[in-house]
Amino acid sequence: SCDIVTRCTPTTTGTLTRGLNVASNASPAITGMLTCEGLNSAANSSLLTFSPNPLTFATTAVGSTTAATTVTVRNNNVASAAAVQIQGVTLSGAQASAFTVTGSTCYSGATPGSLASGATCTLTLTARPSAAGLNSGVLQLTTDLTGAAPQLPMSVSGAQAAFTVSPLTQDFGSITAGAAVASRTYTVTNTGSAAGSLTSVLPASTSSPVFVFSHNCPASIAAGASCSVTVAINSTASAARTGAQTGSASVQFSQGPSITVNALANIQPAPVPAGTVSISCPATAPLGVALTCQARVTSTGTANLAVSSWAPTYQYNAGTWNVIVASAATCSSTGVTVSAIPPGQFCTVSLTLTPNAAGTYTLRTAPLGTVAMTPAQASVTVQGPSLQLTTTNHPLTQVGTSTTASHTLTN
């Protein structure tokens, strides 16, 4: 016996038939019929199908890997019952690097697999989006089929956090050096499609130490959620400075660019209390009559002045006596209390004493309060009684006879 080999190269689709005649010296003649199935390239590629098709992964944060998904490959060449050799896969497309084949029963490494007619095999894939929005690619099987290779469109949407900060500048305006000032806030909002985090708030090296930046953001800020960055005034630092102050800090995030926030303040010197004291008394006064003098404290600083004690004394012949202070709690002339005399205003109290001897008295007051003040004093001449005797001569009188005469004592 011997074998006769025939070749079929179809030029059209469908079933082709040809007669085969074998020329020989045998009788009768040797004849036979041959058939050949013609398929186009699209038909070749449709012999292998994917399920699911297309392959769409769940939305995933940029840089994160999806759960593995299994794709089933089926050999639909039932008519000819021919097996298909699968050598591997190639990935193409705009974001082909976002997709990975992590497992296969269709082939093993560099070793092709044979997929029988009607049989299935599986491919396992994951996706790791590299950019926000749609990431797409195409998986293409490498087989022994002619024509276009079977393709599987793939896609995954990348979700990414995106942050805004509002406002970008907080202006404290004019503040007093060393004074407590309410803090200000900047609102941080995640306007993206995935959770993210605020990683740090870093003051610039040129930022004034008057400003202290902090935040209350959680470890994970959900899409659409907000939190705050706070700027506060360091009263200790502000006490040592005056004039315009500027501050800034870089707010940094797990995704996206950092955002710079700014702070402004104009520090005014702290108000300082100061005061002067004066005292006025009559130049002379009679002995035994109560003497009243007026003591005045004037607030000459930029802050309220407080007086806690008038500390009045008077001196005469090296002796010191207490002096009665009238209207000490309230200034008789202005009505303001001695515990808070506003700048530019004054308060006056009466100082009363009753001299017990004639002579010059020095009345002195040294008020105590918020600040030390230079004592003030005034002198009073106290006049005692001054008696003058005017005598009258007796007339000539006979010896042994009495006479009378009147004499005048004048004060």
Side-chain angles (χ1 to χ4, degrees):
S1 65
C2 64
D3 295 325
I4 297 175
V5 178
T6 62
R7 180 189 300 272
C8 173
T9 304
T11 57
T12 59
T13 60
T15 302
L16 305 176
T17 59
R18 290 290 186 272
L20 176 63
N21 295 317
V22 179
S24 69
N25 57 2
S27 179
I30 302 172
T31 62
M33 292 298 294
L34 302 177
T35 62
C36 179
E37 186 75 18
L39 299 175
N40 59 24
S41 60
N44 285 338
S45 63
S46 66
L47 291 178
L48 295 179
T49 57
F50 299 97
S51 179
N53 186 359
L55 174 58
T56 303
F57 290 90
T59 299
T60 304
V62 171
S64 297
T65 302
T66 66
T69 298
T70 299
V71 175
T72 300
V73 181
R74 180 180 180 84
N75 182 355
N76 295 309
N77 189 13
V78 178
S80 64
V84 176
Q85 295 292 316
I86 301 177
Q87 290 95 27
V89 299
T90 58
L91 300 176
S92 61
Q95 291 86 29
S97 60
F99 304 93
T100 303
V101 178
T102 60
S104 171
T105 63
C106 299
Y107 59 92
S108 179
T111 304
S114 179
L115 186 61
S117 174
T120 61
C121 61
T122 59
L123 299 172
T124 304
L125 296 98
T126 59
R128 188 174 186 269
S130 57
L134 184 66
N135 291 242
S136 60
V138 175
L139 180 146
Q140 182 172 287
L141 288 176
T142 303
T143 68
D144 62 350
L145 295 174
T146 59
Q151 294 183 342
L152 173 65
M154 302 177 295
S155 64
V156 62
S157 291
Q160 188 172 34
F163 292 95
T164 61
V165 178
S166 179
L168 293 177
T169 300
Q170 287 287 8
D171 190 347
F172 287 88
S174 293
I175 63 175
T176 301
V181 179
S183 60
R184 304 284 186 91
T185 59
Y186 312 84
T187 300
V188 177
T189 303
N190 182 356
T191 59
S193 54
S197 62
L198 189 159
T199 56
S200 62
V201 179
L202 300 177
S205 59
T206 56
S207 183
S208 169
V210 166
F211 303 104
V212 179
F213 295 91
S214 61
H215 73 89
N216 69 349
C217 296
S220 178
I221 307 171
S226 297
C227 57
S228 297
V229 170
T230 300
V231 58
I233 298 294
N234 181 333
S235 58
T236 301
S238 72
R241 289 167 174 80
T242 58
Q245 304 292 313
T246 59
S248 63
S250 175
V251 184
Q252 300 185 339
F253 304 97
S254 58
Q255 298 176 14
S258 61
I259 299 175
T260 298
V261 294
N262 303 288
L264 304 172
N266 189 12
I267 301 178
Q268 304 297 320
V272 178
T276 60
V277 59
S278 63
I279 186 169
S280 62
C281 297
T284 61
L287 179 65
V289 178
L291 169 65
T292 299
C293 298
Q294 300 294 322
R296 170 183 289 191
V297 169
T298 302
S299 178
T300 59
T302 55
N304 287 352
L305 174 66
V307 177
S308 57
S309 170
W310 291 91
T313 60
Y314 76 90
Q315 187 171 358
Y316 173 72
N317 293 337
T320 301
W321 294 266
N322 290 331
V323 181
I324 299 173
V325 180
S327 304
T330 303
C331 299
S332 58
S333 56
T334 62
V336 300
T337 62
V338 292
S339 61
I341 306 173
Q345 295 195 37
F346 62 88
C347 90
T348 303
V349 297
S350 298
L351 305 178
T352 303
L353 63 89
T354 302
N356 58 2
T360 300
Y361 287 75
T362 299
L363 185 61
R364 186 175 187 271
T365 182
L368 303 177
T370 309
V371 294
M373 289 173 277
T374 302
Q377 65 184 32
S379 296
V380 181
T381 299
V382 175
Q383 298 174 335
S386 177
L387 299 179
Q388 182 178 0
L389 178 62
T390 303
T391 62
T392 302
N393 293 329
H394 284 264
L396 293 174
T397 303
Q398 186 178 352
V399 175
T401 303
S402 298
T403 61
T404 61
S406 295
H407 309 283
T408 303
L409 185 63
T410 303
N411 184 358

